[in-house]
């Protein structure tokens, strides 16, 4: 008979597994990022996620770990997002995501279809063309995403015949015809799967712009082979988001159902069933004791807008009220989430003005003393972490 667990127990376990519990802090940024990766949008968001998991107080030291020590790597990964993960685990966060025949296109590449039809080009042909063009990154670094799209589109266009090149070089139909070609738009969509083969990763930021090169050039080695990356990626997901269902996993990946099922099956022999809210979910068998014994969540946290804990696809488990879920996960401009004792108690935003920072927390209900004190303490910590002075911290009720 499957073990029955409550929503509160599952959420406490996830906080523990993702190093957001005081009893299971990560020792450093590498361990924090190894759990399931840390999304880096907007740029720099991953730094606060690490601070919450490790107690780190120096954002500059974290950037050095990424850009100078290269203990961490940034590349497009799950759902096509820029993800920070250990530099030694590219076979998990990149190679494992490369689709087998019949598993494309990914959700985040489907937008290329309009441009592909115009260019009279199939998806597989275009991907092979862009991957071939991306080989130039073994010898150079390109500053800015717009420049990267244009540079690779120019390289790819040189291999097309005159008629198809004219279509490839036509003004884009995606909203920036004065700055982007059809080929540039197609490149933009297909850079994500190029990353899975190590063709393109993020380099060090140059002022306010990202830079891009190949994994080989950045790390000085060839990309790791997939090996057991599929199993390890699925196990990381279940460790961080269990109890979970296969559909939740597919949504977290941003993959087609066929690819998600293959990756899920790679780890199936290590899974155990759990009943959560009357439905069968799955855990890693080795995490069953932790699920039952992880400490109950306590305290207040200000999670960033795209913190990994909020990236659970079963959002109704995190927050039952559908109207409130739309405030936490709007279509654009997502705020951060205020957590109290493992429950989402509201949202928060921060605004810098020179060297000062304003924080605004909007809560579902009038706060008790512990919640208000916790929000203000977290706001002070966030401002200090960013090297700013907290000018105002407004706590209001929606």
């Amino acid at each position: 008979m499957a073990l029955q667990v409550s929503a509160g127990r599952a959420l406490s376990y996830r906080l523990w597994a993702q190093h957001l519990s005081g009893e299971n802090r990560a020792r450093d940024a590498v361990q924090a990022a190894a759990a399931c990766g840390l999304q880096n949008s907007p740029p720099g968001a991953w730094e606060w996620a690490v601070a919450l998991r490790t107690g780190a107080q120096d954002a500059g030291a974290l950037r050095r770990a990424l850009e100078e020590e290269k203990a961490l790597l940034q590349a497009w990964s799950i759902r096509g997002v820029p993800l920070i993960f250990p530099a030694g685990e590219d076979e998990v966060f990149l190679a494992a995501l490369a689709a087998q025949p019949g598993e494309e296109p990914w959700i985040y590449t489907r937008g290329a279809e309009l441009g592909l039809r115009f260019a009279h080009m199939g998806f597989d042909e275009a991907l092979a063309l862009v991957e071939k063009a991306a080989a130039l990154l073994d010898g150079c670094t390109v500053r800015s995403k717009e420049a990267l799209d244009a540079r690779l589109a120019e390289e790819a266009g040189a291999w097309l015949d005159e008629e198809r090149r004219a279509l490839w070089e036509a003004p884009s139909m995606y909203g920036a015809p004065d700055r982007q070609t059809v080929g540039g738009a197609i490149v933009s969509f297909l850079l994500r799967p190029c990353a899975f083969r190590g063709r393109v990763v993020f380099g060090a930021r140059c002022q306010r712009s990202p830079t891009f090169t190949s994994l080989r050039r950045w790390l000085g080695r060839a990309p790791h082979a997939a090996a057991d990356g599929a199993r390890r990626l699925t196990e990381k997901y279940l460790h961080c988001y269990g109890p979970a269902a296969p559909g939740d996993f597919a949504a977290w990946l941003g993959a087609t159902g066929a690819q998600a099922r293959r990756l899920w099956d790679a780890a199936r022999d290590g899974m155990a069933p759990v009943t959560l809210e009357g439905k069968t979910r799955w855990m890693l068998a080795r995490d069953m004791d932790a699920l039952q014994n992880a400490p109950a969540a306590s305290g207040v946290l200000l999670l960033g807008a795209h913190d990994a804990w909020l990236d659970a696809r079963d959002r109704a488990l995190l927050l039952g009220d559908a109207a409130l879920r739309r405030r936490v996960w709007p279509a654009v401009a997502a705020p951060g989430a205020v957590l109290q004792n493992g429950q989402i108690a509201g949202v928060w935003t921060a605004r810098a003005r020179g060297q000062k920072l304003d924080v605004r927390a909007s809560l579902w209900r009038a706060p008790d003393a512990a919640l208000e004190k916790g929000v203000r303490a977290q706001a002070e910590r966030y401002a200090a972490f960013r090297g700013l002075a907290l000018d105002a911290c407004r706590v209001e009720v929606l």
Side-chain angles (χ1 to χ4, degrees), residues 3 27 53 61 66 90 113 115 122-123 125 141 204 206 225 237 244 258 279 287 302 308 341 365 392:
L3 175 71
R27 63 179 175 272
R53 289 160 170 80
L66 173 66
D90 54 289
E113 292 175 359
F123 180 88
E125 179 188 7
T141 296
C206 183
Y237 170 79
K279 297 180 180 179
D287 284 336
L302 297 185
N341 302 333
R365 57 174 177 78

Side-chain angles (χ1 to χ4, degrees), residues 155-312:
E155 181 79 3
W159 296 315
L160 298 174
D161 60 46
E162 184 176 350
E163 181 179 352
R164 300 182 79 197
R165 189 183 308 132
L167 298 174
W168 184 261
E169 295 177 349
S172 170
M173 67 288 289
Y174 289 92
D178 56 329
R179 300 197 314 272
Q180 185 186 61
T181 63
V182 171
I186 293 172
V187 166
S188 185
F189 283 108
L190 299 189
L191 281 171
R192 271 68 177 175
C194 284
F196 304 158
R197 302 191 186 281
R199 302 290 191 188
V200 56
V201 300
F202 287 70
R205 286 187 70 82
C206 183
Q207 296 177 345
R208 298 180 64 86
S209 297
T211 66
F212 302 91
T213 189
S214 70
L215 186 149
R216 185 184 298 272
R217 179 176 171 84
W218 182 246
L219 295 181
R221 64 165 173 83
H224 288 145
D228 63 346
R231 175 185 59 80
R232 290 171 58 197
L233 179 62
T234 306
E235 288 178 346
K236 284 178 180 289
Y237 170 79
L238 285 170
H239 176 68
C240 289
Y241 295 103
D248 300 326
F249 178 56
W252 180 78
L253 289 172
T256 60
Q259 185 179 13
R261 285 190 294 273
R262 175 173 59 81
L263 269 61
W264 183 269
D265 288 344
R268 186 177 288 278
D269 60 359
M271 299 181 193
V274 171
T275 301
L276 175 61
E277 297 191 326
K279 297 180 180 179
T280 299
R281 297 289 185 265
W282 298 89
M283 286 286 299
L284 290 178
R286 62 176 182 254
D287 284 336
M288 292 294 282
D289 286 344
L291 173 63
Q292 298 175 74
N293 297 312
S298 62
V300 175
L301 293 173
L302 297 185
L303 298 183
H306 296 287
D307 189 275
W309 193 82
L310 294 170
D311 272 339

Side-chain angles (χ1 to χ4, degrees), residues 356-390:
K356 296 183 178 181
L357 187 78
D358 290 343
V359 171
R360 177 180 180 181
S362 301
L363 308 177
W364 312 148
R365 57 174 177 78
D368 55 31
L371 177 54
E372 184 160 4
K373 181 180 179 181
V375 167
R376 295 186 184 281
Q378 284 279 297
E380 289 277 6
R381 180 185 172 192
Y382 179 76
F385 181 75
R386 293 301 183 194
L388 303 172
L390 183 65

Side-chain angles (χ1 to χ4, degrees), residues 6-220:
S6 67
R9 175 101 310 266
L11 296 181
S12 290
Y13 164 78
R14 291 181 186 180
L15 285 168
W16 176 88
Q18 294 190 33
H19 303 296
L20 286 167
S21 165
E23 289 76 5
N24 189 33
R25 292 294 189 201
R27 63 179 175 272
D28 55 27
V30 173
Q31 186 181 27
C36 50
L38 299 170
Q39 185 168 334
N40 191 31
S41 53
W46 74 279
E47 298 161 2
W48 178 239
V50 170
L52 290 174
R53 289 160 170 80
T54 66
Q57 300 179 8
D58 184 356
L62 298 181
R63 289 191 289 273
R64 288 191 294 274
L66 173 66
E67 298 184 350
E68 298 176 19
E69 299 164 17
K70 299 182 182 179
L72 299 164
L73 179 65
Q74 180 177 191
W76 288 299
S77 180
I78 53 172
R79 298 186 307 283
V81 304
L83 200 73
I84 305 288
F85 52 88
E89 292 198 85
D90 54 289
E91 75 274 22
V92 177
F93 292 101
L94 296 180
L97 295 169
Q100 294 184 357
E103 292 180 346
E104 309 99 335
W106 296 264
I107 290 171
Y108 40 86
T109 62
R110 290 176 183 168
E113 292 175 359
L114 181 61
L116 291 172
R117 285 197 300 270
F118 179 87
H120 299 166
M121 188 174 293
F123 180 88
D124 291 342
E125 179 188 7
L127 180 55
L129 184 66
V130 176
E131 285 187 345
K132 182 180 178 182
L136 68 84
L137 294 174
D138 283 341
C140 70
T141 296
V142 178
R143 179 179 174 181
S144 90
K145 174 62 165 51
E146 185 174 346
L148 178 66
D149 294 345
R151 181 78 179 274
L152 296 189
E154 180 181 10
E155 181 79 3
W159 296 315
L160 298 174
D161 60 46
E162 184 176 350
E163 181 179 352
R164 300 182 79 197
R165 189 183 308 132
L167 298 174
W168 184 261
E169 295 177 349
S172 170
M173 67 288 289
Y174 289 92
D178 56 329
R179 300 197 314 272
Q180 185 186 61
T181 63
V182 171
I186 293 172
V187 166
S188 185
F189 283 108
L190 299 189
L191 281 171
R192 271 68 177 175
C194 284
F196 304 158
R197 302 191 186 281
R199 302 290 191 188
V200 56
V201 300
F202 287 70
R205 286 187 70 82
C206 183
Q207 296 177 345
R208 298 180 64 86
S209 297
T211 66
F212 302 91
T213 189
S214 70
L215 186 149
R216 185 184 298 272
R217 179 176 171 84
W218 182 246
L219 295 181

